């Protein structure tokens, strides 16, 4: 947390002195590429809560941004640059693969990181310094499998991306849950990173004739899978995880996206807490001011929660020292935008509810909530 | 696997192969004339995708296609003039490194200008019309791609074998210095070569992206590399060879994915490159070249 202290010039000078001596007074971010939406929510959160109180003195939070370009190698570089910039807390990332790749760096340097929407269990497992504010893939996979069974699906096909921890992890958890609920997985297909042609795997899936297709993947591949499936005359319901809640998918897939079902963390039509109410109206205004569509994806809500969690932890720790913040994170108990945030012993937020949304008339529409015990 | 499934896979493979063939010709042409592997070719292909997106945003599709088919060759010529021409007397390695530089420049420039978020490729209605025969289902572009590829190759072959420009191109590819002595305008011929290569890449880009629907600054990298392999496979410098190579790689890649070996579909292409270079470095149809002193 940096040090442009609020009040007198004297206090400012003192703060500058402290920063120079101790070197780690900044709250730092580590966010993926997917543009404005990802950095912007943190900038917004910073605007709403620009300061933090340590030892009775008010400090301004300084944001340092590093872009991991959704690439594992870049993620490591970004993480290192954040560490060397003297960050006290890291927020991010959104993707599981990049978070896992950078996790060890935060652990080795004893700087706590708070993940936003990295849902793979391995992000926090065995890493004392990684926390996250979202639910996990085993949970999400089970939720989607439950939903598919409830909708009467008996046969499912799964499409996953090779070497992507999020995609293959979530795909496996879905398949496992779907089988244990009495369904059968008739086709499991994989594709290479950066693939743009899914016709071959979709042709195989068409031949297996499933009721639902579960295809957790990045927002770059989603519209391609959706459109090519419809083009090949596949009518099965297409489902995916939280990543797909991004308006660019609807933009790119057009009418083919109608009926696509996904699970997510948050619904802006149904604010869960008081904090959520102010966040929704405030952030929408902020988006409009910055000429962005005023749709709040769940990842933004999680990013905001991660920021709130970070501030709270610093206040509890009463310090900007990484290990102290880490210990304080275990004690955090706040009402965030996506619900109550308490961390379990792994550093995962204790969440038991997911929102199911469906694409209808070019919009994500809230369908129902599913809880799994 | 049922018959319709197999047919569907074949259709996909042939269509992909057609697009690869069009790009591969660009590598082969430039290599034939300049002995340069134009590593920026894949990125010219990608840029053509962006040109199409932006021109279609403000013009009807026939005009947009025309703009793309004009702007892309102009860019190809400009790249040659700026990045390759000053190095004509330099060692061959320098010009190749310059090509790699141009490739990265184009990628990063378009990341800067258009962001790395995938852009939806606009739909050209008549290309996207879907045909169904029984269980078989394909859009018009899937069928058009291989047909158009064959027609364009035939036109190109006629151009090279029957016209004066073509004769000049052949002369330049045989012997640079002698062609110059015979009064051939070398710079013009090289520009024509780049224009043709880029034009085919632009056509390939329209067909390829219409079928795959999104463009990113890195969309050209992998197809570019694969088409380079296709050109080497067919014998670099040899046009029919590049076409055969393109179709071969497209079809095998599709079949590998279809059989569930998607892990190896990219690996196959590069394995093919290594094997080819070890066993028959001149490619399927390449002539054994004699180094002149």
């Amino acid at each position: 947390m940096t040090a442009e202290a609020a009040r007198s010039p004297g206090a400012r000078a003192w703060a500058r002195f402290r920063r120079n001596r101790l070197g780690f007074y900044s709250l730092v971010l580590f966010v993926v590429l997917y543009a404005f939406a990802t950095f912007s929510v943190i900038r917004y959160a910073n605007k709403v809560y620009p300061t933090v109180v340590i030892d009775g003195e008010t400090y301004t939070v300084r944001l340092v941004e590093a872009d991991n370009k959704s690439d594992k190698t870049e993620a490591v570089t970004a993480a290192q640059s954040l560490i060397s910039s003297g960050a006290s807390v890291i927020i991010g990332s959104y993707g599981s693969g990049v978070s896992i790749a950078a996790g060890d760096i935060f652990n080795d340097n004893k700087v706590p990181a708070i993940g936003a929407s990295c849902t793979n269990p391995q992000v926090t497992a065995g890493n004392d310094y990684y926390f996250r504010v979202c639910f996990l893939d085993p949970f999400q996979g089970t939720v989607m499998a439950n939903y598919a069974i409830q909708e009467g699906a008996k046969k499912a096909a799964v499409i996953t991306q090779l070497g992507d921890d999020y995609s293959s992890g979530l795909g496996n958890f879905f398949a496992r849950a779907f089988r244990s609920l009495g369904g059968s997985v008739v086709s499991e297909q994989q594709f290479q990173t950066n693939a743009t042609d899914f016709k071959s795997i979709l042709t195989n899936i068409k031949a297996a004739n499933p009721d639902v297709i579960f295809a957790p993947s990045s927002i770059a591949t989603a519209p391609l899978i959706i459109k090519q499936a419809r083009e090949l005359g596949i009518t099965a319901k297409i489902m995916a995880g939280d990543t797909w809640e991004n308006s660019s998918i609807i933009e790119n897939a057009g009418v083919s996206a109608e009926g696509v079902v996904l699970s997510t963390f948050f619904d802006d039509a149904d604010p869960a807490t008081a904090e959520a109410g102010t966040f929704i109206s405030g952030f929408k205004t902020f988006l409009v001011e910055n000429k962005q569509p005023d749709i709040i994806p769940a990842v933004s809500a999680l990013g905001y929660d991660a920021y709130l969690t970070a501030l709270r932890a610093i206040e509890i720790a009463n310090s900007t020292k990484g290990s102290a913040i880490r210990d304080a994170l275990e004690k955090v108990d706040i009402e965030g935008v996506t619900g109550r945030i308490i961390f379990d012993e792994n550093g995962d937020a204790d969440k038991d509810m997911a929102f199911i949304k469906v694409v209808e008339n070019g919009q994500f529409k809230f369908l129902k909530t599913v809880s799994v015990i | 696997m049922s018959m319709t499934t197999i047919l569907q896979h074949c259709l996909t493979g042939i269509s992909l192969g057609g697009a690869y063939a069009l790009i591969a010709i660009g590598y082969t042409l430039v290599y034939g004339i300049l002995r340069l592997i134009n590593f920026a070719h894949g990125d010219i292909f990608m840029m053509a995708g962006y040109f199409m997106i932006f021109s279609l945003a403000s013009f009807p599709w026939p005009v947009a296609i025309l703009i793309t088919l004009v702007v892309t060759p102009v860019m190809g010529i400009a790249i040659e003039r700026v990045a390759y021409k000053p190095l004509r007397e330099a060692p061959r390695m320098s010009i190749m490194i310059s090509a790699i530089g141009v490739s990265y420049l184009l990628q990063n420039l378009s990341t800067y200008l258009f962001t790395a978020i995938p852009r939806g490729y606009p739909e050209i209605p008549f290309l996207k019309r879907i045909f169904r025969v029984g269980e078989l289902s394909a859009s018009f572009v899937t069928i058009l791609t291989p047909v158009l590829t064959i027609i364009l190759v035939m036109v190109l072959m006629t151009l090279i074998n029957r016209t004066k420009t073509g004769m000049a191109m052949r002369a330049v590819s045989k012997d640079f210095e002698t062609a110059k002595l015979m009064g051939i305008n070398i710079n013009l011929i090289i520009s024509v070569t780049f224009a043709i290569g880029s034009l085919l890449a632009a056509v390939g880009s329209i067909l390829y992206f219409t079928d795959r629907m999104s463009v990113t600054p890195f969309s050209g990298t992998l197809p570019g590399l694969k088409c380079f392999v296709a050109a080497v496979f067919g014998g670099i410098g040899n046009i029919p060879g590049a076409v055969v190579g393109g179709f071969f790689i497209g079809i095998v890649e599709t079949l590998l994915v279809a059989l569930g070996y998607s892990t190896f579909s990219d690996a196959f292409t590069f394995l093919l490159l290594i094997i080819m270079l070890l066993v028959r470095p001149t490619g399927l149809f390449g002539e054994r070249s004699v180094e002149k002193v």
Side-chain angles (χ1 to χ4, degrees):
Chain A
M1 293 313 321
T2 307
E4 266 17 86
R7 291 151 304 178
S8 66
R12 224 174 291 144
W14 168 235
R16 212 171 297 130
F17 167 65
R18 292 223 305 188
R19 176 185 55 189
N20 290 342
R21 198 163 53 98
L22 298 174
F24 33 61
Y25 280 4
S26 50
L27 174 74
V28 176
L29 298 180
F30 157 58
V31 194
V32 289
L33 175 72
Y34 286 132
F36 192 78
T38 49
F39 280 126
S40 69
V41 72
I42 309 291
R43 289 187 195 137
Y44 169 73
N46 184 243
K47 214 174 116 188
V48 179
Y49 297 101
T51 57
V52 65
V53 178
I54 303 169
D55 270 342
E57 193 163 354
T58 308
Y59 290 95
T60 306
V61 176
R62 184 167 66 98
L63 297 180
V64 179
E65 293 170 4
D67 187 349
N68 64 27
K69 299 189 180 146
S70 295
D71 179 279
K72 286 185 193 171
T73 328
E74 291 279 349
V76 173
T77 320
Q80 268 153 350
S81 81
L82 291 181
I83 295 290
S84 51
S85 76
S88 306
V89 182
I90 312 285
I91 295 176
S93 172
Y94 288 85
S96 294
V98 285
S99 300
I100 294 169
D104 282 344
I105 293 176
F106 302 137
N107 200 13
D108 294 347
N109 289 285
K110 301 203 184 315
V111 176
I114 306 171
S117 60
C118 35
T119 47
N120 189 294
Q122 283 178 42
V123 174
T124 57
N127 189 333
D128 273 350
Y129 279 81
Y130 229 119
F131 292 78
R132 75 177 121 203
V133 293
C134 56
F135 53 57
L136 271 64
D137 286 339
F139 169 76
Q140 190 171 202
T142 314
V143 163
M144 290 314 279
N146 267 301
Y147 172 77
I149 293 284
Q150 280 167 25
E151 294 291 301
K154 302 229 160 28
K155 293 187 286 179
V158 179
I159 305 176
T160 53
Q161 181 182 334
L162 280 165
D164 181 85
D165 302 309
Y166 168 77
S167 179
S168 50
L170 185 50
N172 280 337
F173 294 121
F174 172 85
R176 203 179 299 163
F178 193 76
R179 281 197 193 99
S180 72
L181 289 166
S184 66
V185 177
V186 289
S187 180
E188 285 185 74
Q189 303 286 331
Q190 296 174 315
F191 64 88
Q192 295 261 7
T193 312
N194 298 330
T196 48
D197 196 336
F198 301 94
K199 288 200 196 114
S200 333
I201 58 175
L202 287 168
T203 306
N204 286 346
I205 285 178
K206 191 185 176 191
N209 194 24
D211 302 314
V212 293
I213 299 172
F214 188 64
S217 49
S218 74
I219 60 164
T221 42
L224 306 179
I225 293 179
I226 298 170
K227 279 184 107 171
Q228 291 175 14
R230 296 299 180 234
E231 227 164 75
L232 285 170
I234 295 174
T235 50
K237 190 190 280 274
I238 300 177
M239 311 197 306
D242 54 285
T243 328
W244 280 24
E245 197 202 6
N246 187 307
S247 48
S248 84
I249 290 178
I250 299 180
E251 256 165 57
N252 288 335
V255 284
S256 302
E258 292 292 304
V260 166
V261 177
L262 50 93
S263 61
T264 186
F265 315 94
F266 170 75
D267 176 39
D268 64 358
D270 177 27
T273 60
E275 185 71 49
T278 41
F279 166 71
I280 290 166
S281 56
F283 189 49
K284 277 191 174 164
T285 326
F286 179 80
L287 285 173
V288 171
E289 278 167 14
N290 289 284
K291 299 189 177 50
Q292 295 288 313
D294 66 336
I295 301 161
I296 303 180
V299 289
S300 296
L302 289 168
Y304 191 81
D305 276 358
Y307 182 87
L308 293 187
T309 309
L311 285 204
R312 185 75 197 113
I314 290 168
E315 292 194 337
I316 294 176
N318 214 6
S319 149
T320 54
K321 201 167 155 40
S323 51
I325 298 174
R326 196 221 90 85
D327 294 338
L329 275 166
E330 290 180 340
K331 296 180 209 122
V332 164
D333 179 358
I334 58 166
E335 282 288 326
V337 169
T338 59
R340 192 173 174 202
I341 292 170
I342 320 171
F343 296 107
D344 65 11
E345 68 279 5
N346 291 327
D348 298 328
D350 196 6
K351 297 208 166 164
D352 62 354
M353 190 171 71
F355 297 83
I356 306 275
K357 288 189 180 181
V358 63
V359 178
E360 221 178 83
N361 301 322
Q363 302 264 310
F364 291 106
K365 200 171 148 269
F366 171 69
L367 205 59
K368 59 175 175 178
T369 55
V370 176
S371 309
V372 178
I373 307 96
Chain B
M1 206 182 278
S2 71
M3 201 58 213
T4 40
T5 313
I6 293 173
L7 280 177
Q8 185 87 55
H9 283 312
C10 289
L11 206 59
T12 311
I14 293 170
S15 175
L16 180 64
Y20 280 173
L22 286 176
I23 309 170
I25 293 171
Y27 280 102
T28 257
L29 274 180
V30 169
Y31 183 83
I33 303 281
L34 277 185
R35 296 287 178 270
L36 157 73
I37 306 216
N38 182 12
F39 280 109
H41 195 61
D43 303 290
I44 293 178
F45 162 80
M46 172 273 293
M47 291 301 281
Y50 278 110
F51 292 149
M52 189 67 191
I53 292 177
F54 292 119
S55 48
L56 205 60
S58 26
F59 299 103
W61 64 264
V63 186
I65 289 181
L66 201 70
I67 292 176
T68 309
L69 295 187
V70 171
V71 175
T72 314
V74 168
M75 189 180 68
I77 295 171
I79 287 172
E80 194 275 321
R81 284 284 151 96
V82 174
Y84 305 151
K85 196 181 160 197
L87 294 170
R88 201 148 294 157
E89 304 304 324
R92 210 171 288 162
M93 194 52 90
S94 315
I95 187 166
M96 192 135 107
I97 291 168
S98 178
I100 295 173
V102 172
S103 163
Y104 279 97
L105 176 72
L106 288 179
Q107 278 173 24
N108 288 291
L109 195 68
S110 46
T111 310
Y112 176 73
L113 292 175
F114 318 129
T115 75
I117 302 174
R119 291 234 178 202
Y121 201 73
E123 284 192 9
I124 303 163
F126 90 100
L127 283 178
K128 272 311 222 186
R129 195 180 316 140
I130 290 167
F131 289 92
R132 286 215 168 80
V133 184
E135 281 287 287
L136 223 56
S137 164
S139 53
F140 181 58
V141 65
T142 313
I143 304 155
L144 179 72
T145 309
V147 178
L148 197 61
T149 305
I150 302 293
I151 294 175
L152 284 173
V153 170
M154 275 160 31
V155 172
L156 180 64
M157 293 305 286
T158 321
L159 179 93
I160 287 178
N161 290 327
R162 299 255 184 278
T163 65
K164 217 167 175 186
T165 317
M167 193 190 278
M169 283 170 81
R170 279 181 287 144
V172 174
S173 81
K174 279 261 174 352
D175 193 323
F176 222 85
E177 297 298 322
T178 316
K180 216 188 244 173
L181 286 173
M182 293 297 146
I184 292 172
N185 184 346
I186 301 273
N187 289 331
L188 181 73
I189 292 303
I190 290 172
S191 292
V192 168
T193 310
F194 271 85
I196 295 173
S198 309
L199 182 76
L200 293 178
V203 176
S205 139
I206 293 172
L207 298 170
Y208 181 91
F209 287 123
T210 303
D211 223 6
R212 282 157 196 85
M213 295 162 297
S214 87
V215 185
T216 74
F218 308 99
S219 291
T221 317
L222 205 56
L225 280 176
K226 285 178 179 167
C227 294
F228 164 62
V229 177
V232 172
F233 176 73
I236 194 147
N238 183 303
I239 294 166
V243 176
V244 171
F247 275 109
F248 181 76
I249 287 182
I251 292 168
V252 175
E253 196 186 300
T254 309
L255 289 182
L256 277 176
V257 177
L259 294 172
Y261 299 110
S262 40
T263 326
F264 307 111
S265 68
D266 287 352
F268 157 77
T269 312
F270 299 106
L271 193 68
L272 183 73
L273 175 67
I274 294 170
I275 292 173
M276 211 59 202
L277 288 176
L278 288 177
V279 178
R280 202 182 151 86
T282 49
L284 277 188
F285 305 102
E287 289 161 30
R288 183 154 304 160
S289 68
V290 184
E291 280 295 322
K292 284 166 290 231
V293 186

